[in-house]
Amino acid sequence: MSLWTSAEIAAATDGTASAGFDVTGVTFDSREVGRGDLFLALTGETTNGHRFLDQAFAQGAAGALVSEATPHPHVAVADTTAALDALGAAARARMQGKVIGVTGSVGKTGTKEALFAALDRPEPGTAHRSVKSYNNHTGVPLSLARMPRETRFGVFEMGMNHEGELAQLTRLVRPHVAIVTTIAPAHMGFFDSEAAIADAKSEIFQGLEPGGTAIVPFDSPHRDRLIAAAQPYAGRIVTFGLGDGADFRAVEQMRTRTGGTFVTARFDKRELSFTISQLGPHWVSNAMAILAAVDAVGSDLEMAGLAMAEMGGLPGRGARFLASVDGGEALVIDESYNANPASMRATLAVLAREDGRKLAVLGEMRELGDHSEAFHADLAEPIAAAGVERAILVGEAMQPLANALEGRIDFVHVPDAATALDRLNAVLAPGDAVLVKGSNGVRLSGLVAALAERQRP
């Protein structure tokens, strides 16, 4: 079954189709175009997608959404970015299943992926989610536009770094369930306080469908603030976490031999025991939010537990592999996608559990504004507590941390990821465990890719 016909695209976007065609996928990145796709020729300050139309059709595109003349099969509109929003809204309108929206300063991508796995496990192929971290003003409508019409469960990640952004996105997604994972000092360069971040994250509740469910972190200092923000929009408010009184609470937890956690969750006078394959105590709390959402949409909780036991590590967010070094192998923990003070602490706690010598390649944390120096310096204590024997600090903003670590552990401070790789290669030894984490703009993913090339076949 086609994802969209040209007639449906034209009706949704108030456009004009040049010919009849069907598409099986949607993308605005010409590098991702595959056979049968609709290519969205978006225009922006630095690029114009119309320049890549020939390339897109050479790669197999079935049609394009355009605002400039082209001989290729297309739907012509006045504004392709506005048309993308319209196509996303049309996808949401025709979908008859349940939709879950996820936001938070930390853990939203992992929670989204685990929710997708949990909802797809009972009936594979019936769930849909936003891929990668497509969580902004173009990524969210694209993820909606890619949603098959027969989808039973849709899971969408929504991000923001300014007030008002989530309000716009959530009204497009119109979730039946809205989750806030963790509030942390991310994007502090754009907000006066962590409480202001909580207010911005709580905008997700404004798009809830009538009678919808708001899911709030019980252990957060901003819990009551989030609950108050949800009350005008939610038919039901559910809390999750570890503290006594949470609606979905982890009452027992035990580390498994593979590093995951065996958990017993209690909710509504029921209990469920299952294993979380993902590493770190923060995943225990995330799992409670996942169970709350699965319960809210009426899916299978036992299957959700199985799905969380089967999940592998996510690239850039906890994926693990062994890299060959002279005389053996070293463990690489890939947390290279992004970083803020809370996620740095959480992943350092994961590193602390590993055997062998512990190394950390840590890139600077961005968008922290006037708080940047203090937040970087404050990482000295969790680094020491994790037992890190050698740290490689990457980026100019790491200078306060370098000052704080002086005389405490062995470290070097380097300007970029390429230099960090050279320094790591010089010291990496068999049996080492190395954590790689930093803001995405530091480009530590390239360092990880270089290490991944050294995996044994």
Side-chain angles (χ1 to χ4, degrees):
M1 183 180 295
S2 67
L3 181 64
W4 295 98
T5 67
S6 56
E8 290 171 333
I9 297 166
T13 62
D14 195 24
T16 303
S18 68
F21 57 85
D22 293 357
V23 300
T24 54
V26 181
T27 185
F28 51 56
D29 187 335
S30 61
R31 297 165 298 182
E32 296 180 354
V33 173
R35 186 162 299 281
D37 280 349
L38 174 71
F39 175 62
L40 309 177
L42 302 187
T43 58
E45 294 181 1
T46 59
T47 188
N48 184 339
H50 296 84
R51 293 192 291 112
F52 302 99
L53 283 166
D54 288 345
Q55 175 188 334
F57 279 91
Q59 292 173 203
L65 190 66
V66 301
S67 58
E68 299 177 11
T70 178
H72 299 293
H74 65 271
V75 172
V77 296
D79 182 328
T80 51
T81 300
L84 171 58
D85 278 354
L87 194 62
R92 175 64 185 88
R94 73 182 183 181
M95 187 262 201
Q96 300 301 304
K98 297 291 186 180
V99 173
I100 301 171
V102 183
T103 194
S105 304
V106 184
K108 55 184 176 290
T109 299
T111 297
K112 177 257 297 181
E113 290 293 328
L115 263 172
F116 168 76
L119 295 168
D120 202 55
R121 183 68 164 74
E123 296 181 63
T126 60
H128 171 80
R129 92 287 206 188
S130 47
V131 299
K132 301 180 181 178
S133 287
Y134 281 180
N135 61 18
N136 63 8
H137 64 287
T138 53
V140 169
L142 176 69
S143 297
L144 284 165
R146 289 172 164 178
M147 181 166 57
R149 64 189 82 224
E150 65 274 13
T151 298
R152 289 192 59 203
F153 300 107
V155 187
F156 298 93
E157 176 183 342
M158 289 176 266
M160 64 89 209
N161 56 21
H162 288 86
E163 180 183 357
E165 287 180 293
L166 266 177
Q168 179 181 357
L169 295 177
T170 191
R171 291 189 174 103
L172 190 61
V173 173
R174 291 168 38 215
H176 298 90
V177 178
I179 302 171
V180 176
T181 56
T182 300
I183 303 298
H187 310 302
M188 282 293 284
F190 306 112
F191 294 94
D192 294 333
S193 65
E194 195 172 281
I197 294 174
D199 291 340
K201 294 294 185 184
S202 71
E203 293 173 11
I204 193 173
F205 304 131
Q206 296 177 20
L208 275 169
E209 289 286 87
T213 300
I215 299 178
V216 173
F218 180 84
D219 304 310
S220 171
H222 308 290
R223 176 190 64 208
D224 294 342
R225 195 179 196 95
L226 293 168
I227 289 173
Q231 283 173 337
Y233 306 101
R236 178 174 173 241
I237 299 174
V238 176
T239 60
F240 69 92
L242 310 180
D244 189 12
D247 296 318
F248 280 73
R249 179 188 174 208
V251 293
E252 294 178 359
Q253 49 183 301
M254 180 177 65
R255 186 182 178 191
T256 67
R257 287 186 297 176
T258 57
T261 309
F262 182 76
V263 177
T264 297
R266 184 174 295 159
F267 47 93
D268 294 337
K269 299 180 180 179
R270 294 175 287 168
E271 287 191 353
L272 177 68
S273 295
F274 60 99
T275 297
I276 304 167
S277 63
Q278 303 297 304
L279 308 186
H282 56 291
W283 264 100
V284 177
S285 181
N286 291 349
M288 299 304 104
I290 292 159
L291 291 182
V294 169
D295 185 63
V297 297
S299 191
D300 192 314
L301 287 163
E302 287 77 14
M303 286 290 192
L306 287 174
M308 282 189 273
E310 296 166 351
M311 275 190 71
L314 306 175
R317 294 182 173 86
R320 295 170 162 237
F321 60 88
L322 294 174
S324 296
V325 296
D326 289 341
E329 294 175 315
L331 172 66
V332 179
I333 304 171
D334 175 16
E335 288 278 357
S336 61
Y337 182 76
N338 220 334
N340 59 49
S343 64
M344 278 284 199
R345 289 173 178 268
T347 51
L348 284 164
V350 171
L351 178 63
R353 296 182 173 190
E354 298 301 328
D355 297 326
R357 187 175 65 147
K358 300 172 181 62
L359 287 72
V361 180
L362 304 176
E364 62 187 21
M365 302 176 291
R366 297 184 174 177
E367 297 185 354
L368 295 179
D370 294 339
H371 306 271
S372 179
E373 289 190 10
F375 280 131
H376 282 90
D378 285 348
L379 291 179
E381 193 57 42
I383 288 171
V388 174
E389 296 184 37
R390 184 174 181 84
I392 300 173
L393 311 180
V394 189
E396 183 179 352
M398 278 297 195
Q399 186 59 54
L401 177 56
N403 296 339
L405 287 175
E406 195 70 49
R408 300 188 67 175
I409 70 166
D410 185 17
F411 74 90
V412 294
H413 185 194
V414 301
D416 52 47
T419 309
L421 178 60
D422 290 340
R423 294 298 186 97
L424 180 62
N425 283 333
V427 298
L428 197 59
D432 285 349
V434 54
L435 168 67
V436 183
K437 187 167 182 66
S439 285
N440 197 35
V442 184
R443 302 190 184 280
L444 291 180
S445 58
L447 180 150
V448 172
L451 295 174
E453 291 177 356
R454 291 156 52 178
Q455 294 180 80
R456 293 190 187 279

